[in-house]
Amino acid sequence: MSATVQNSDPKDAKLRADIDRSLRHPVMFFFTSGALWLLVAVLLGFASSFKSHSPDFLGDAAWATTGRLSLAHQNILIYGWACQAAFGAIIWLMARLCRKESKNSILILVAGHVWNLAITFGLFGILLGGSTGVTWMAFPTAVWPVLLISYILIAIWSAIQFQVREGGHIFVSQWYLLAAIIAFPWVFFSSHVFVFVLDGHPLMKAAVSEWYRAGLVFLFLAPVAISAAYYLAPKVTGRPVHSYHLAMFGFWSLMAIAPWAGFQKLAGAPIPRFLPYIGAAATILFLIPALAVAVNILRTILQDETSASRNSPSLRFTMGGMAGMLILGVLGLFLNTSGTLAMTQFSLTGYGMDILAIYGFFSMCAFGLIYFVVPRVTRREWLSKRFITSHFFLSLYGVAAVVLFSIMGGLFQGQAQNDSNAPWADAASFGRAYAVGTTLAWLFIAFANTIFLSHLLLMWARLGRRSTHPTLLDSGHHASSPHGPEGDIDELQAAKA
Amino acid sequence: MNFKTFLLGLTAAFGLPWVLAVAIPYTQMAHLEPARFVEAADGFDGVYEFTRSGRTDGASIYASNGCALCHTQVIRPSYAGTDMYRKDWAGVPANAAEGIADSRRETNPYDFEGEKFAYVGQTRVGPDLSNVAIRAARRGAEKGIGAEQWFLEHLYNPRDYDYNSVCPSVSFLFDGSAAKPKSDAKALAAYLMSMRKDNVIPSSLNPRKP
């Protein structure tokens, strides 16, 4: 950001610039390689979706078996894109909020490369037939310890930064970041040990693998996304967060509810009976923190009287993500009641909900943060507002279509499955038209992310605009940035608290 | 809110569900008491041992090809679904003319004996496989072949028997034709055979007969 729109202490401005410079390489590495994996994951999603209605697509090659493509698609989406976007967000946000330069950028960068090598190895492992077949733990078992070690080398510095920060106040964003930093190794390590190391009952291993999926979404990806939203909304509008108490309520309700979720995928399986019930209840109750957070963020953004909410790419994506989170909460309420679970449990709706959580909620918030961070760490502005708008709308329509088709198709399919007198072929054929729709929607998302990746690569190569004006989504130039004066919101938040 | 309260709260919020819903159920299920036949209910006394009707070493091939994404291995009790009533899924209904007793039952924890992971499954794009061996035997008999051979032909090209099936072919596990399976294809077929679950079980394990 240029010097002309800054009205705060020049010392502060220098500190922020130093922090950004210290993190430039790891942050850009995580965002760019994440975006690359995202494109790979989306193309794998397209291929596996295509095969789900036209099984002869890509022939009978072993690597192109529907199941292998689908496992690769889901795992690359999680570990290649979502986790890496989260890492970039965590290290940058924590450094900025603690006002500490990163002193370990080289180590973080090395660990990031190790993470990427492990993912590459895992991808080939799945495609060549070495997968464990456990939905989000499908990489060959040699991969997960490497992932865990590189995670620790990436994230531990942010926890240390928090410990040594000056000043006592903790920002809302920092609660969520800390929760995410702690939740990931806890959920990841204990689940993998329960599933792959200890000698437990096969059914409880399956139950833990479902608990792990819910934990990864609700305790790692969701907190990072919410943290980014709590950072961007006040920062860009220049207003304090709408309600501190609501923020506190939203945080603690998420932390109290989310760790119980996931077991409902095993409803009816012979595991202790309370587990599926408590899992379904927790998934339904997710609506409470979702409402608290969304109301708080959206009120902060929409009460802004400047044009920031309309013009800022970051805020537009953040609002998209908040809408995704609300829809996730509302659908979770309707799809997990004891009446609907029998229908939805083994239908395509589960996949639709996964994509809604990862793309419609988390990724939209992550994109918002990336559009904010990259100009700061590269000291260049985004090249084209048209690229950003296309990325937004193609993503929005694409993910809406995937979710709608999976959930609608899944409901019809689930209803036919549950009609024990109708022939089984009915259940299969009812989902098919919707599977075709899902395939087309992945194509939209593939376009969106080709644009995004190209734009990001140009920024990475420092080919962005050298300008004093941030790239906004309307026409014309601005005397002052709707991204607000740098740093002032930190003081505003502190004063409010 | 200071940092200490924050960490305490977080530990409690994470720790409680981890202990109550993950660690304790996991430990308990790891040491299942053997189920028993009881004279009063089953007509004789004894310890129930589930023996699979085939090898399970094909499980890793089932897993690595992502079969569990489209196939389930669980017959849910009737409060959770209608699996018990779908033809040939839960077992074989009674047939007085042929002297067959009702073998239908829901899945119990002993059914996963010998497995490393219970591939309960994500969706039912394809049918549940709990008793797929019964259906394979029936459909094989129509063609004059055994169940295992029917599995091999079905794995080689699922659309030979079900024109509309979207099940991917695993022809790469064969040497060019369904008659020449590699050892992996045989292992996978044997695993599918092993899922047959119409043995006699203690009535304590089958409280909700259809």
Side-chain angles (χ1 to χ4, degrees):
Chain A
M1 190 76 32
S2 81
T4 54
V5 292
Q6 312 227 335
N7 57 4
S8 51
D9 187 356
K11 247 174 142 180
D12 264 14
K14 181 170 181 311
L15 177 65
R16 285 191 299 274
D18 287 345
I19 294 171
D20 289 346
R21 192 177 310 115
S22 74
L23 278 167
R24 180 179 141 209
H25 292 293
V27 163
M28 284 310 285
F29 177 76
F30 285 129
F31 288 164
T32 319
S33 60
L36 190 63
W37 283 122
L38 175 59
L39 191 58
V40 173
V42 169
L43 292 174
L44 285 165
F46 170 76
S48 67
S49 179
F50 205 124
K51 288 205 75 145
S52 76
H53 50 79
S54 312
D56 293 326
F57 178 64
L58 296 178
D60 286 353
W63 65 269
T65 304
T66 318
R68 291 192 196 178
L69 287 177
S70 185
L71 286 173
H73 154 62
Q74 299 189 39
N75 285 273
I76 293 298
L77 186 63
I78 296 286
Y79 301 105
W81 155 246
C83 285
Q84 292 212 79
F87 297 159
I90 288 173
I91 58 175
W92 188 84
L93 283 172
M94 196 54 115
R96 275 294 201 102
L97 291 165
C98 295
R99 306 171 74 75
K100 289 275 171 203
E101 280 174 55
S102 163
K103 296 199 168 57
N104 307 89
S105 288
I106 293 175
L107 198 53
I108 295 175
L109 199 58
V110 171
H113 280 84
V114 174
W115 179 279
N116 275 273
L117 280 175
I119 303 286
T120 314
F121 179 80
L123 172 64
F124 283 107
I126 292 176
L127 292 180
L128 298 179
S131 167
T132 64
V134 184
T135 319
W136 285 4
M137 302 173 162
F139 291 142
T141 41
V143 171
W144 74 264
V146 181
L147 291 183
L148 183 66
I149 292 167
S150 35
Y151 167 82
I152 292 170
L153 291 178
I154 291 165
I156 195 164
W157 316 112
S158 297
I160 293 174
Q161 271 179 339
F162 182 81
Q163 274 295 321
V164 300
R165 80 198 185 284
E166 291 138 29
H169 181 71
I170 310 177
F171 296 109
V172 181
S173 291
Q174 282 170 302
W175 311 339
Y176 280 103
L177 286 177
L178 272 182
I181 290 172
I182 297 169
F184 183 86
W186 171 64
V187 173
F188 187 90
F189 178 72
S190 69
S191 301
H192 280 83
V193 166
F194 278 135
V195 172
F196 295 120
V197 180
L198 295 179
D199 188 24
H201 192 282
L203 271 168
M204 266 320 283
K205 294 187 172 194
V208 170
S209 79
E210 292 300 335
W211 174 78
Y212 168 71
R213 296 212 295 159
L216 203 59
V217 168
F218 291 132
L219 293 172
F220 181 64
L221 299 181
V224 173
I226 294 171
S227 169
Y230 268 119
Y231 182 84
L232 290 174
K235 185 94 175 174
V236 177
T237 56
R239 297 164 43 82
V241 169
H242 171 69
S243 158
Y244 184 80
H245 292 287
L246 196 57
M248 190 108 126
F249 172 75
F251 177 81
W252 285 112
S253 56
L254 179 67
M255 292 306 135
I257 288 166
W260 299 93
F263 301 108
Q264 73 276 13
K265 276 301 280 183
L266 276 92
I271 54 172
R273 185 88 74 84
F274 74 98
L275 289 176
Y277 282 112
I278 211 158
T283 314
I284 288 171
L285 290 176
F286 172 69
L287 184 56
I288 293 172
L291 268 176
V293 171
V295 165
N296 219 358
I297 298 284
L298 292 177
R299 287 200 74 146
T300 307
I301 295 176
L302 295 175
Q303 280 182 357
D304 177 43
E305 274 147 28
T306 66
S307 52
S309 56
R310 285 196 306 280
N311 297 337
S312 154
S314 298
L315 284 191
R316 184 176 290 184
F317 275 95
T318 301
M319 286 194 287
M322 288 297 109
M325 179 177 69
L326 271 181
I327 297 168
L328 184 70
V330 172
L331 286 176
L333 167 66
F334 287 114
L335 297 177
N336 288 287
T337 63
S338 56
T340 48
L341 194 57
M343 274 192 340
T344 57
Q345 187 179 0
F346 293 131
S347 74
L348 296 170
T349 51
Y351 178 70
M353 292 292 277
D354 290 347
I355 298 301
L356 178 58
I358 297 166
Y359 200 97
F361 166 30
F362 170 78
S363 301
M364 293 299 259
C365 291
F367 292 141
L369 189 73
I370 289 173
Y371 280 116
F372 185 86
V373 172
V374 170
R376 284 164 176 74
V377 297
T378 60
R379 305 203 135 261
R380 299 286 187 279
E381 294 299 333
W382 291 100
L383 285 164
S384 155
K385 72 173 188 222
R386 212 170 271 175
F387 279 8
I388 302 176
T389 328
S390 313
H391 178 214
F392 180 76
F393 283 108
L394 285 169
S395 285
L396 189 72
Y397 295 148
V399 71
V402 171
V403 171
L404 197 70
F405 289 141
S406 309
I407 287 171
M408 290 295 291
L411 284 175
F412 283 118
Q413 181 197 29
Q415 207 161 21
Q417 282 175 1
N418 239 18
D419 180 356
S420 57
N421 295 317
W424 178 255
D426 275 11
S429 60
F430 280 6
R432 188 134 345 143
Y434 293 93
V436 177
T438 305
T439 308
L440 287 176
W442 277 119
L443 213 54
F444 274 82
I445 298 182
F447 278 129
N449 288 297
T450 311
I451 295 168
F452 175 60
L453 177 64
S454 324
H455 209 173
L456 196 55
L457 284 171
L458 289 170
M459 293 292 280
W460 192 35
R462 303 202 85 188
L463 293 173
R465 287 190 298 115
R466 288 163 178 276
S467 166
T468 55
H469 297 290
T471 308
L472 300 170
L473 300 180
D474 65 344
S475 48
H477 292 298
H478 299 265
S480 70
S481 161
H483 276 182
E486 283 277 82
D488 292 2
I489 194 58
D490 301 0
E491 282 83 350
L492 274 174
Q493 268 199 348
K496 176 94 174 170
Chain B
M1 181 168 58
N2 67 36
F3 188 49
K4 247 188 195 156
T5 7
F6 178 85
L7 269 191
L8 267 176
L10 212 58
T11 313
F14 287 178
L16 199 68
W18 188 83
V19 171
L20 293 182
V22 181
I24 291 179
Y26 187 92
T27 321
Q28 280 181 337
M29 290 240 347
H31 309 288
L32 275 186
E33 291 286 317
R36 306 190 74 88
F37 292 101
V38 191
E39 178 87 47
D42 304 301
F44 59 96
D45 275 316
V47 176
Y48 170 65
E49 257 182 81
F50 177 68
T51 36
R52 301 187 71 112
S53 49
R55 294 146 51 198
T56 55
D57 54 346
S60 63
I61 299 159
Y62 182 89
S64 66
N65 287 301
C67 302
L69 294 174
C70 295
H71 289 288
T72 56
Q73 297 182 27
V74 62
I75 298 298
R76 295 174 292 177
S78 43
Y79 70 83
T82 56
D83 309 352
M84 294 281 270
Y85 307 99
R86 193 171 273 285
K87 193 165 183 272
D88 294 345
W89 270 31
V92 183
N95 186 336
E98 293 175 30
I100 299 173
D102 193 338
S103 69
R104 288 180 292 170
R105 64 176 176 88
E106 51 195 69
T107 300
N108 67 52
Y110 304 92
D111 290 339
F112 296 94
E113 192 64 43
E115 297 235 38
K116 288 188 186 124
F117 185 89
Y119 290 99
V120 169
Q122 293 298 318
T123 64
R124 283 176 174 165
V125 174
D128 188 87
L129 299 179
S130 295
N131 280 299
V132 66
I134 297 176
R135 303 197 289 279
R138 183 195 303 272
R139 301 189 67 177
E142 291 165 9
K143 290 259 163 190
I145 52 177
E148 194 137 7
Q149 186 58 34
W150 185 87
F151 272 132
L152 289 172
E153 293 189 4
H154 184 78
L155 290 172
Y156 186 76
N157 184 2
R159 278 160 291 290
D160 264 358
Y161 287 93
D162 301 285
Y163 176 71
N164 268 324
S165 168
V166 289
C167 186
S169 156
V170 287
S171 59
F172 52 87
L173 298 179
F174 294 79
D175 274 324
S177 89
K180 286 187 259 173
K182 294 183 196 167
S183 65
D184 279 359
K186 286 185 197 160
L188 184 55
Y191 178 61
L192 293 168
M193 291 291 289
S194 82
M195 289 175 191
R196 184 168 184 141
K197 286 156 197 153
D198 58 348
N199 53 329
V200 178
I201 59 166
S203 50
S204 59
L205 286 178
N206 197 13
R208 292 171 289 267
K209 287 183 178 155

